[in-house]
Amino acid sequence: MISIFQKFESEGILGINRRIGEFILPNNPREHYPLVDDKWKTAELTRQFHVPMPKHYGVVDTFGGIQKTKNLVKDHPGFVVKPANGGMGNGILVINKTEVLENGNVLFHKSDGRVLLEKEINHHISGILSGLYSLDGNSDTCILQERLECHPFFQEISFRGIPDIRVIVYLGYPVMAMLRLPTKESGGRANLHQGALGVGVNLLDGMLTHSVCNDKLIYVHPDTKQTLSGRVIPHWLSILEMSSRCYDMSGLGYLGVDIVLDERRGPLLLEMNARPGLGIQIANRMGLVKRLKLAERIVNSADGPKDRVHRILEELKRN
Ligand SMILES: Nc1ncnc2c1ncn2[C@@H]1O[C@H](COP(=O)(O)OP(=O)(O)O)[C@@H](O)[C@H]1O
Ligand SMILES: [Mg+2]
């Protein structure tokens, strides 16, 4: 059977093999992968480069340490449990509220409305440590992270969780972007694989274009019933500049950057991906190849993040 990507390759849609052979392998040195595959290492890197990220309340890295989870989050009723080496939203639990009962038992309220007991959270963390959700299948560590609040721009269009903005950055130049909105199905996570919505974004001004959910074109958010196209993402230029800075930070030439918007702090880096998915092309109804070739034509090693954003936007305006 011919895949949707093979069918459209002739129209400039980047397929999986070409993505790896022509763009990822030559531009992403293997020794840099741990910087992005491990979210704990990414956090250290962002401190050096002064790139803001959500706060980390602590890390659980031994089975014996699981018991201390309750203490690490005791001052933070909302938090996120996350495998350091995870991907595609797997293993992420978004806890909206912690409730301490009179008998001392603790209940954790998830963003999808379900409630977990302390022993269930601990069991989940032990799964993370065993490597159940890790990208390479090896044992992992568990990050306890600040739970972000939805920016007002997203409040009426998103269902419960936190949307993120995925930007593909090639040779330091942002080339394509997509907004991802959590749905009821995706359980507070903005990953397309979990059933989140992908919305194409006009790179020039941050205006939303087409939407896809589970690979089908849709016209309103399936849960909030809101129309999405025509809305403009706030802080657009800062989002592009932050994504471009991630190239200097990671040393990866082909990169997927996930950014979230915080009402008070503006754009925050959530994570970077060394092998970003290709679904962004469906949401934008546009192939990546032309944009990647454009970046190759205009690349200038003297450019910093601001210059790179400026340069590619000027090129896009001209075409
Ligand atoms: N700190 C957080 N607060 C609220 N939601 C979060 C937080 N971290 C992650 N999420 C949700 O989970 C999704 C996946 O998180 P991410 O860190 O990108 O991990 P993965 O590598 O599994 O994609 C995000 O797009 C967001 O919707
Ligand atoms: Mg992600």
Side-chain angles (χ1 to χ4, degrees):
M1 205 175 85
I2 302 178
S3 78
I4 187 164
F5 290 117
Q6 283 168 318
K7 184 163 169 275
F8 290 121
E9 212 156 338
S10 56
E11 296 168 29
I13 300 278
L14 183 61
I16 292 167
N17 292 339
R18 192 169 174 200
R19 174 190 65 162
I20 296 175
E22 192 173 332
F23 299 103
I24 294 187
L25 285 178
N27 294 296
N28 290 358
R30 278 221 71 82
E31 64 274 21
H32 292 216
Y33 277 51
L35 299 175
V36 299
D37 284 348
D38 185 326
K39 295 179 171 72
W40 190 252
K41 290 202 171 92
T42 304
E44 278 171 23
L45 200 63
T46 57
R47 278 192 287 275
Q48 287 167 31
F49 281 78
H50 305 289
V51 170
M53 230 189 140
K55 287 188 206 90
H56 286 163
Y57 299 142
V59 65
V60 182
D61 50 8
T62 60
F63 287 93
I66 294 177
Q67 294 303 331
K68 73 178 180 190
T69 305
K70 197 165 69 174
N71 275 341
L72 289 172
V73 296
K74 75 175 184 328
D75 299 324
H76 311 286
F79 62 94
V80 171
V81 177
K82 194 180 275 194
N85 282 284
M88 298 189 292
N90 294 327
I92 293 184
L93 282 183
V94 182
I95 305 296
N96 276 1
K97 195 175 82 180
T98 309
E99 186 185 357
V100 184
L101 302 177
E102 276 177 14
N103 62 9
N105 287 345
V106 185
L107 298 181
F108 297 98
H109 295 257
K110 287 205 318 171
S111 66
D112 62 5
R114 299 225 302 272
V115 177
L116 293 177
L117 301 170
E118 187 186 347
K119 67 173 186 207
E120 289 172 306
I121 287 254
N122 289 351
H123 181 70
H124 182 83
I125 295 177
S126 96
I128 291 179
L129 298 187
S130 315
L132 206 58
Y133 309 102
S134 88
L135 287 171
D136 55 11
N138 291 331
S139 56
D140 201 353
T141 51
C142 171
I143 293 173
L144 300 166
Q145 189 174 70
E146 163 191 18
R147 184 185 70 94
L148 299 163
E149 300 282 346
C150 197
H151 186 283
F153 172 75
F154 297 118
Q155 246 149 28
E156 71 169 31
I157 55 175
S158 180
F159 187 81
R160 292 201 177 127
I162 300 295
D164 70 12
I165 298 140
R166 160 64 59 88
V167 185
I168 301 289
V169 179
Y170 183 50
L171 307 177
Y173 296 82
V175 291
M176 199 172 276
M178 152 174 79
L179 169 68
R180 301 183 300 185
L181 296 167
T183 57
K184 196 169 182 182
E185 183 188 342
S186 75
R189 296 158 298 182
N191 301 80
L192 300 190
H193 286 91
Q194 306 292 346
L197 204 75
V199 191
V201 183
N202 185 340
L203 208 68
L204 283 175
D205 55 10
M207 186 182 284
L208 304 185
T209 59
H210 324 284
S211 307
V212 285
C213 193
N214 293 321
D215 285 344
K216 287 192 194 69
L217 281 175
I218 52 159
Y219 297 94
V220 293
H221 188 295
D223 307 308
T224 64
K225 309 294 181 211
Q226 293 287 329
T227 308
L228 305 164
S229 61
R231 297 173 191 252
V232 177
I233 299 177
H235 302 285
W236 186 242
L237 269 189
S238 319
I239 290 171
L240 293 182
E241 279 169 28
M242 177 180 281
S243 59
S244 173
R245 178 160 294 119
C246 288
Y247 164 68
D248 306 299
M249 205 161 74
S250 66
L252 295 171
Y254 189 88
L255 185 65
V257 178
D258 293 354
I259 290 176
V260 285
L261 266 192
D262 182 84
E263 186 180 8
R264 212 167 27 86
R265 290 177 284 178
L268 303 177
L269 177 68
L270 195 55
E271 64 149 346
M272 298 182 280
N273 298 271
R275 321 158 195 77
L278 296 165
I280 192 167
Q281 302 176 104
I282 304 176
N284 279 283
R285 293 204 204 168
M286 190 192 292
L288 267 165
V289 173
K290 218 171 136 193
R291 294 279 175 95
L292 297 171
K293 293 291 165 193
L294 170 65
E296 284 177 357
R297 269 203 312 281
I298 62 173
V299 65
N300 181 332
S301 58
D303 279 357
K306 270 198 166 92
D307 313 306
R308 291 194 290 256
V309 170
H310 182 73
R311 197 183 287 273
I312 193 148
L313 295 187
E314 284 305 308
E315 281 298 324
L316 289 174
K317 269 185 217 155
R318 258 204 290 279
N319 292 311

